Amino acid sequence: MMDPEVSILLDCAQWRGLLEDQVQVELSDRFNRQTDPLLEQHIGEVWTQRLTKEPWLFNGAKFRLHSFRLASPERLHCDGSDGHLCEQRRDGAAEGDHVDINGGCLVQSADNGGFNEKPSPAMSRGAAVRHHPSSLLTLRLGLTCYKDYLGTNWSCKVAELRRRGQKEFGDSLALLAQPLGVGAVLCTCDGQVVFIRRSQKVAEAGGLLDIPGGHPEPKAVCERQGEAGEHISMAVMQQRPDAVVSELFSSVCAEIRDEVNVPLSCLGAPVLMGIALNHTSAGRPSAEFYISCSLSSDEVRKLYWEGGAEANESTDVVFLSRTEVLQLNRSSPLWSEMCPSAKGAILLYQTVKPERKQNHREEK
């Protein structure tokens, strides 16, 4: 099923999803976006205009997904320089039909579901990596912010920025903010998947059905490392890349707590299903998770209407059975009511089938 609004950059179906100890990060300023004075001026103008219309917006640091390295599934027989890891760049076509790579080792095509092998480059030098013997996925992260996201991914000049990025840096996304989001397919104990109806006041996809989600926060990582205030330090985060991974996985649970009002104690361990790209915002990436909930749909509905910390971001809660979600496609009436982030998560859920991972963990 193809949808021009979304595509899948990475799916973890080979492992039925990944747990926190199977993911690591590589952090470096070299993974930040490229820029120049004219682009910075444009970003400032866009931000000023948006604040005039939406004074409630605020800026904040975000992680920028530059690329990832994936442990080679058996079928790939990757013969890269490290023998095990492959790198893939996020340079997908706007129509979502393929993912091109600049300097990576895999080309993934949705046309045939296959991979074409290329030599794998060595890991970047001077970047901190959280090493774990069971890690299967390495996310390469820089820093960006919400202001830059609105001034690049959402700019009226985004097509020009993509052309410039490709011409000047060999990467059509080099000048874009590309903040990494998170989202959750939240499934209740009675087999219902939780959706929320977005408020008309939110910055994106107002009035559409969505899954709980948001962003991992660099600020939260720095605060846990003793850095006070608004100071965001790449150097501090490089000292504890494990804390960044922890924030990635814990932030999606915090979003469920704040948006749906479900206590953290009622949530299972997040299972990373993969990364989806939102082409309505120039291919912005989002890590999509599966999370089980020990509460029933009636209990979740009651908590939602009691109101959470971010209750103002949505106006209703909607439940679909697992079966209904697995059968959703572009011809389904509800599909047109879904925002791109929800569509991407649904496609991953249908592909990865992460319940088997969760059930196996609980049996242990």
Side-chain angles (χ1 to χ4, degrees), residues 57-306:
L57 294 180
F58 63 93
N59 195 19
K62 308 297 177 188
F63 291 106
R64 180 179 190 267
L65 180 64
H66 172 272
S67 54
F68 67 83
R69 294 164 60 86
L70 184 65
S72 175
E74 293 179 0
R75 67 180 183 274
L76 296 183
H77 305 294
C78 181
D79 58 353
S81 60
D82 54 18
H84 298 286
L85 297 180
C86 303
E87 178 188 87
Q88 185 161 339
R89 296 298 300 270
R90 305 165 299 94
D91 204 8
E95 293 300 320
D97 59 347
H98 66 282
V99 177
D100 296 325
I101 300 164
N102 296 329
C105 98
L106 298 179
V107 176
Q108 181 177 8
S109 172
D111 293 337
N112 56 23
F115 294 83
N116 300 319
E117 299 178 25
K118 290 185 181 180
S120 172
M123 292 282 280
S124 290
R125 298 175 182 175
V129 184
R130 171 190 185 267
H131 291 290
H132 194 286
S134 62
S135 293
L136 298 170
L137 172 67
T138 301
L139 301 175
R140 296 178 130 183
L141 303 176
L143 288 173
T144 186
C145 65
Y146 188 64
K147 173 183 175 181
D148 290 358
Y149 170 56
L150 293 182
T152 58
N153 288 66
W154 278 104
S155 168
C156 60
K157 297 182 178 180
V158 66
E160 176 187 341
L161 293 177
R162 291 180 66 102
R163 286 193 295 270
R164 279 189 53 200
Q166 186 62 47
K167 180 180 179 180
E168 297 173 20
F169 305 99
D171 178 3
S172 66
L173 305 178
L175 295 168
L176 305 187
Q178 297 295 85
L180 178 63
V182 294
V185 171
L186 177 64
C187 194
T188 64
C189 66
D190 55 344
Q192 300 291 307
V193 177
V194 181
F195 294 88
I196 52 177
R197 178 77 67 180
R198 292 173 64 85
S199 167
Q200 293 288 356
K201 291 186 177 182
V202 295
E204 298 176 45
L208 297 180
L209 285 177
D210 200 2
I211 55 173
H215 303 85
E217 300 289 348
K219 179 181 177 181
V221 176
C222 290
E223 287 177 345
R224 283 196 290 271
Q225 303 309 310
E227 292 287 323
E230 298 297 319
H231 180 62
I232 305 298
S233 169
M234 175 64 81
V236 168
M237 290 187 290
Q238 286 177 326
Q239 295 171 12
R240 286 290 307 279
D242 58 319
V244 176
V245 176
S246 178
E247 169 63 14
L248 176 65
F249 278 74
S250 64
S251 64
V252 72
C253 294
E255 294 292 347
I256 292 171
R257 176 198 62 200
D258 295 343
E259 295 182 2
V260 190
N261 202 30
V262 172
L264 296 179
S265 60
C266 298
L267 302 178
V271 177
L272 177 62
M273 299 186 293
I275 299 173
L277 301 180
N278 180 346
H279 294 295
T280 67
S281 52
R284 178 266 185 91
S286 181
E288 307 296 354
F289 295 83
Y290 167 81
I291 300 180
S292 63
C293 177
S294 62
L295 302 177
S296 69
S297 53
D298 285 341
E299 290 171 318
V300 171
R301 181 182 287 106
K302 181 180 178 182
L303 287 170
Y304 172 84
W305 287 113
E306 289 176 0

